[in-house]
């Protein structure tokens, strides 16, 4: 918890009664925080105050920074309390709320992320006060609920962003400036604020509804998805896409399924290369097991040090599947050992007393990135206390190559080492003339000693909240690993976790709660919770052959059909008629976890295979047809749906006694065509209109002109432009979500025009050059940055 002990004794707000670790981190801020719910809504309604909504999660680095700088500041807190009703949301508890208001941030700013800061209209927002009357702040009428339209849900965003500093800085308004400005707008420009909030709400609804006509299930999509994935494969450092690199288990599971029906040496080598490099890098905890969230570089070396349960559940399943079908010839236990170490890590550090699994571990210790996981050479030597063993550890884990990490936020800290494997254990055995079994034993001895020392350090915070959906992923990975390795303790742990969920996280009707902490389950589950638990129960049935797991899966599937399913195919993310949401979303894109829609299609196929009832296959067909237009366009962006489509086609072909026949991938289409008119540009004091026309290939997009600073924006630039001015009217981009990015991106797609005006501001010497700077990207990766001199002739107008 980042709040100081002194602060904790001075203030307590409404979050103190919550169970979420993230909300409890803010329970002693001087801000009058409320949890998301009717009490806060009624207060905003009765006082006619706008709402400040802050969304984050317990292991979010910048969430901690904004708390320290703003929410623990009594002066800023007093302003927040005076002008707004302040609400905190844990995005992991309420992904439905997070999805809606993240869309608002994306639409309004062109990017997104956490902490999320959104300003909302109160329920029953009333018209502005008549001229000459008191301001809404302190107005007697404003507190009269009968004067408001109680039928207006409100909660519509009118301003949004992410992190805001305590003072104005680098073009970003500080919280005090923002609070005063938005409060004044609410008091004096209410009509405009309400109009803008309605327009944004409509844009969010359009963005999240995904309405489209169903289409046929096309095997071509599977081949094209595999081809697109291979086009973004990094042949040097492995993985798919550029840094930052995420493990993206859905990509790996798709390739495993694809190779099972259409063997391909190139794809198989890419898969093995990726599995190897991920496990050799610092993104994998070499000492304690388990994967960190992602690699900050392209080499899988330096991670973002958070550990998420959902990553490790998916990757345990991925590696144990790989062990079964593609064990490395020179080290057959390589992938099995990774799956085993993941499971051992989770059982050691992430188990609730009930047997369910906790959510995450923080990236920082004492505000230092990854401090618990980093080593100095002297610390290794002191811990091991044996010179030959220290030398082996130094060579094994790359310390002999020098330091490789500097905390970007702590420049005074010494450089340290992220431990990694420069070569595989098999190659290390060969290089050091040792048998592989001896290397395994030495590594185990080194790891046991270093882990004991590491455990004595201050540990990163653990989010001890239980998520049904994330537990479902871990249960499936744990059970499958136990089955393949004949490790009963893993199967027993999976069974215990599933039983605990069914005992502690269901209501009297059998419906699920989403979260559990310290004996309390709360919040109605959303689609992804049901989807991942059903998948886990199907896995437990396969592993244990106990019918009770299939029976439970069938019951939960019936609840999903009743409460979440669309009769036309597909599923909504949330329950119908939720009073605290103004739009009902349906997600199909995969991110760090696969979408609830895609997992539900896999579940229908599992239930058909296990129960033998054709109705499940029919429902999968309906769902796939509903999603087909989206999958055909998104491909890798919806790869788990493409995986489900592959399973469906394989199953139906088998039902007919045939083998699935996948077509060849279609040829890659053009990247971009460009035209510019006029080709001759007169330089004079009178403005000349020039139009750049772009025709972007269907599998590509350009980063727009207003993307975040770490991306390459599309820009038209005049070089050598002494006394020549340019004004560019960049068109608005489109908000899109891609697997390689941690947040949505503003992009240009299809055909577009960029108008610009060129004029002289004085005597012209050297003729300028007109440069288009851009980066062309697929849905999952980007091509090299281009600086293209456009084919125009500048002429000085006499």
């Amino acid at each position: 918890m980042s709040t100081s002990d002194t602060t904790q004794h001075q203030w307590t707000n409404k979050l103190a009664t919550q169970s979420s670790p993230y909300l409890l981190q803010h329970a002693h801020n001087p801000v009058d925080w409320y949890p998301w719910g009717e009490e806060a809504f009624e207060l905003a309604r009765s006082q006619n105050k706008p709402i400040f909504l802050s969304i984050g999660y317990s292991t979010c680095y910048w969430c901690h920074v904004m708390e320290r700088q703003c929410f623990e500041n009594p002066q800023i807190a007093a302003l927040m309390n005076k002008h707004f009703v302040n609400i905190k949301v844990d995005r992991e508890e309420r992904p439905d709320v997070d999805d809606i208001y993240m869309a608002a941030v994306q639409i309004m700013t062109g990017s997104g992320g956490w902490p999320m800061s959104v300003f909302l209209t109160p329920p029953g927002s009333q018209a502005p006060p008549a001229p000459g009357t008191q301001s809404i702040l302190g107005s007697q009428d404003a507190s009269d609920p009968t004067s408001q339209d109680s039928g207006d849900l409100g909660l519509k965003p009118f301003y949004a962003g992410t992190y805001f500093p305590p003072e104005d800085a680098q073009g970003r308004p500080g919280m005090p400036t923002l609070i005063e400005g938005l409060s004044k707008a609410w008091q004096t420009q209410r009509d405009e604020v309400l109009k803008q909030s309605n327009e944004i709400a409509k844009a969010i609804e359009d963005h999240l509804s995904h309405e489209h006509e169903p289409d046929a299930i096309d095997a071509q999509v599977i081949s094209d998805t595999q081809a697109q994935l291979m086009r973004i494969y990094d042949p040097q450092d492995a993985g798919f896409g550029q840094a930052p690199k995420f493990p993206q288990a859905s990509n790996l599971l798709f390739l495993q399924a694809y190779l099972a029906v259409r063997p391909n040496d190139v794809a198989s080598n890419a898969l093995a290369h990726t599995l190897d490099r991920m496990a050799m890098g610092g993104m994998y905890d070499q000492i304690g097991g388990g994967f960190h969230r992602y690699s900050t570089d392209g080499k899988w070396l330096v991670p973002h040090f958070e550990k998420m349960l959902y990553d490790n559940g998916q990757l345990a399943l991925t590696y144990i599947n790989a062990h079964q079908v593609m064990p490395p010839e020179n080290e057959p236990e390589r992938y099995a050992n990774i799956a085993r170490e993941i499971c051992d890590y989770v059982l050691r550090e992430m188990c609730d007393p009930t047997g369910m699994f906790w959510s995450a571990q923080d990236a920082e210790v004492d505000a230092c990135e990854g401090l618990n996981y980093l080593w100095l050479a002297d610390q290794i030597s002191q811990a091991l206390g044996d010179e030959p063993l220290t030398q082996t550890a130094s060579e094994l884990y790359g310390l002999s190559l020098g330091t490789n990490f500097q905390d970007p936020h702590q420049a005074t800290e010494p450089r340290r080492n992220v431990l990694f494997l420069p070569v595989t254990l098999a190659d290390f055995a060969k290089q050091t003339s040792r048998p592989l079994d001896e290397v395994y034993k030495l590594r185990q001895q080194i790891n046991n000693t270093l882990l004991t020392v590491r455990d004595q350090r201050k540990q990163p915070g653990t989010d001890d909240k239980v998520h049904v959906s994330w537990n479902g992923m871990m249960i499936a990975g744990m059970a499958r690993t136990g089955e393949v390795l004949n490790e009963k303790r893993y199967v027993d742990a999976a069974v215990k976790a599933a039983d605990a969920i069914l005992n502690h996280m269901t209501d009297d009707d059998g419906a699920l709660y989403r979260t559990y902490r310290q004996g309390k389950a709360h919040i109605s589950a959303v689609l992804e919770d049901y989807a991942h638990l059903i998948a886990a129960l199907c896995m437990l049935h396969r592993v244990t052959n106990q019918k009770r797991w299939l029976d439970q899966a069938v019951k939960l599937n019936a609840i999903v059909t009743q409460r979440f399913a669309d009769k036309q195919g597909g599923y909504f993310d949330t329950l119908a008629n939720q009073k605290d949401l103004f739009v009902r979303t349906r997600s199909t894109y995969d991110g760090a976890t696969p979408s609830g829609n895609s997992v539900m299609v896999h579940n229908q196929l599992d239930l058909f295979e296990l129960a033998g009832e054709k109705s499940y296959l029919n429902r999968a067909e309906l769902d796939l047809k509903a999603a087909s237009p989206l999958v055909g366009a998104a491909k890798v962006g919806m790869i788990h749906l493409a995986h489900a489509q592959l399973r469906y086609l394989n199953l139906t072909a088998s039902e007919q006694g045939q083998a699935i026949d996948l077509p060849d991938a279609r040829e890659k289409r053009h990247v971009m065509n460009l035209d510019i008119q006029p080709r001759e540009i007169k330089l004079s004091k009178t403005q000349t209109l020039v139009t750049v026309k772009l025709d972007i290939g269907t599998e590509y997009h350009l980063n727009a002109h207003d993307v975040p600073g770490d991306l390459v924006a599309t820009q038209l630039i005049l070089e050598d432009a002494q006394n020549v001015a340019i004004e560019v009217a960049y068109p608005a981009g489109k908000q899109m979500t891609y697997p390689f990015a941690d947040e949505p991106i503003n992009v240009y797609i299809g055909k577009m025009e960029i108008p610009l005006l060129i004029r002289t501001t004085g005597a012209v010497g050297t003729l300028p050059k007109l440069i288009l700077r851009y980066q062309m990207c697929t849905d999952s990766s980007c091509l090299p940055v281009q600086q293209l001199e456009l084919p125009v002739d500048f002429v000085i107008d006499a």
Side-chain angles (χ1 to χ4, degrees), residues 257-274:
Y258 180 88
L259 290 167
V261 300
R262 191 169 188 178
N264 177 311
D265 286 345
V266 174
S268 182
N269 291 338
L271 175 59
H273 188 202
T274 299

Side-chain angles (χ1 to χ4, degrees), residues 434-446:
R434 291 184 173 105
L436 182 58
D437 284 347
E438 182 183 337
V439 170
Y440 278 165
K441 290 177 182 178
L442 283 170
R443 178 174 180 264
Q444 193 62 56
Q445 181 184 353
I446 291 166

Side-chain angles (χ1 to χ4, degrees), residues 97 144 182 587 592 765:
V97 176
D144 179 7
L182 292 176
S587 303

Side-chain angles (χ1 to χ4, degrees), residues 53 55 89-107 114 116 118 157 203-205 207-210 514 526-528 572-574 581-589 593 595-596 737 744:
L53 172 64
I55 302 178
V89 168
D90 182 342
R91 68 176 294 259
E92 295 171 354
E93 283 194 329
R94 292 299 303 265
D96 48 353
V97 176
D98 181 69
D99 284 347
I100 290 171
Y101 294 107
M102 180 57 75
V105 177
Q106 295 157 10
I107 288 168
W114 299 275
M116 194 195 310
V118 191
I204 292 170
E205 190 170 355
H207 177 70
L208 295 176
S209 63
H210 294 304
R514 176 166 173 79
V526 296
L527 176 67
E528 68 174 15
F572 294 98
D573 298 326
T574 58
L581 304 175
F582 64 82
V583 61
R584 197 177 187 200
T585 62
R586 51 192 305 168
S587 303
T588 51
Y589 275 89
T593 61
S595 71
T737 302

Side-chain angles (χ1 to χ4, degrees), residues 194-316:
L194 292 174
K195 179 182 177 184
Q196 176 167 316
S197 71
N198 286 328
E199 290 173 349
I200 294 168
K202 180 63 169 62
I204 292 170
E205 190 170 355
D206 292 343
H207 177 70
L208 295 176
S209 63
H210 294 304
E211 293 184 2
H212 53 273
E213 292 297 319
D215 202 353
I217 301 171
D218 185 3
Q220 185 68 58
V221 170
I222 298 165
S223 300
D224 290 350
T225 299
Q226 187 271 341
Q228 185 186 74
L229 192 60
M230 291 307 301
R231 282 199 291 274
I232 59 172
Y233 163 64
D234 180 348
Q236 179 174 337
D237 293 315
F240 302 93
Q242 299 176 324
K245 285 183 176 176
F246 290 78
Q248 295 177 292
S250 292
N251 290 351
L252 308 178
L253 292 169
F254 169 83
L255 271 184
Q256 289 175 350
Y258 180 88
L259 290 167
V261 300
R262 191 169 188 178
N264 177 311
D265 286 345
V266 174
S268 182
N269 291 338
L271 175 59
H273 188 202
T274 299
L275 292 169
D276 290 345
R277 290 297 299 273
M278 283 170 48
M280 293 167 64
M283 199 189 80
Y284 183 71
D285 181 355
Q286 301 294 338
I287 298 299
F291 282 89
H292 297 290
R293 189 166 172 230
Y294 62 85
S295 173
T296 61
D297 54 52
K299 299 179 179 180
W300 306 102
L301 176 60
V302 176
H304 179 55
F305 288 92
E306 281 175 288
K307 280 185 174 180
M308 311 301 293
L309 183 69
Y310 58 71
D311 282 327
N312 285 288
Q314 294 178 92
L315 290 169

Side-chain angles (χ1 to χ4, degrees), residues 130-150:
T133 62
Q134 209 175 349
S135 140
I136 64 165
L137 294 173
S139 165
Q140 187 173 2
D141 289 340
S143 63
D144 179 7
T146 63
S147 67
Q148 301 173 21
D149 177 11
S150 59

Side-chain angles (χ1 to χ4, degrees), residues 588-625:
T588 51
Y589 275 89
D590 301 317
T593 61
S595 71
N597 265 270
S598 64
V599 177
M600 278 308 304
V601 182
H602 281 272
N603 289 342
Q604 303 308 319
L605 299 173
D606 282 333
L607 290 171
F608 170 68
E609 290 178 334
L610 298 174
E613 294 183 18
K614 194 69 176 286
S615 60
Y616 296 121
L617 190 64
N618 293 339
R619 179 68 209 195
E621 180 181 5
L622 182 68
D623 296 339
L624 288 171
K625 285 182 176 178

